[in-house]
């Protein structure tokens, strides 16, 4: 399965979550691995580790492998757990049509480069482009789950 180079890196729903009590992030590694992280104002954190690919242009396929839930760390820096529940093995496949291009997060704001999904991935339809180069160690489950 092909990988869309334009998806690789970090994406965040935060700019599009104005006023919301929750947000999510996506991480796509260049080897077909990745993760999604959902967190809220009550410090809950839920991370799904997945394999990803694009079976056709404009379609993202996610093969969920692990789910880890717990408490969001308040330490500055990357999204991380302060505590976790036991990890749960998953075997789900979902497909998500998407487009990549400029999007305005709220009226009066400047357009950001974003990926927009027809149906939500985690809780959001839109994610703003973050760093294009990310490492496996940036996965919030890196210290919780065995290496792949």
């Amino acid at each position: 399965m092909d990988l869309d180079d334009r998806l690789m890196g970090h994406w965040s729903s935060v700019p599009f979550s104005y006023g919301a009590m929750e947000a999510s992030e996506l991480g796509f590694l260049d080897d077909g691995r990745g993760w999604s992280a959902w967190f809220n104002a009550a410090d809950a954190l839920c991370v799904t580790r997945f394999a990803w690919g694009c079976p056709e242009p404009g379609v993202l396929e996610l093969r969920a492998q692990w789910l880890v839930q717990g408490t969001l760390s308040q330490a500055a820096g990357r999204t991380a757990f302060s505590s976790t529940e036991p990890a749960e093995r998953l075997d789900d496949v979902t497909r998500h049509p998407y487009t990549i291009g400029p999007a305005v997060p709220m009226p009066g704001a400047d357009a950001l480069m974003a990926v927009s999904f027809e149906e939500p991935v985690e809780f959001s339809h839109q994610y703003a482009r973050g760093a294009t180069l990310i490492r496996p160690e940036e996965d919030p489950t890196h210290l919780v789950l065995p290496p792949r």
Side-chain angles (χ1 to χ4, degrees), residues 21-52:
M21 300 296 284
E22 59 189 10
S24 51
E25 300 176 342
L26 301 172
F28 297 103
L29 297 169
D30 62 4
D31 63 0
R33 297 180 295 159
W35 64 89
S36 61
W38 169 89
F39 45 92
N40 68 16
D43 297 331
L45 175 59
C46 181
V47 178
T48 302
R49 187 185 275 185
F50 55 73
W52 71 280

Side-chain angles (χ1 to χ4, degrees), residues 55-144:
E56 57 188 87
V59 176
L60 171 66
E61 183 175 283
L62 300 177
R63 293 183 173 276
Q65 300 167 329
W66 288 98
L67 175 70
V68 179
Q69 300 181 71
T71 306
L72 181 65
S73 171
Q74 294 303 308
R78 65 184 176 91
T79 303
F81 286 100
S82 65
S83 66
T84 61
E85 297 174 13
E88 180 182 337
R89 200 82 148 111
L90 301 175
D91 188 23
D92 300 325
V93 178
T94 57
R95 288 192 172 188
H96 308 274
Y98 69 91
T99 58
I100 297 176
V104 177
M106 65 180 139
D110 292 334
L112 304 170
M113 187 55 64
V115 59
S116 300
F117 297 100
E118 286 183 14
E119 297 293 325
V121 175
E122 280 302 342
F123 111 98
S124 185
H125 287 272
Q126 290 185 299
Y127 291 81
R129 163 59 80 193
T132 55
L133 297 175
I134 58 174
R135 300 178 326 275
E137 298 80 28
E138 294 176 59
D139 175 350
T141 66
H142 175 70
L143 297 175
V144 178

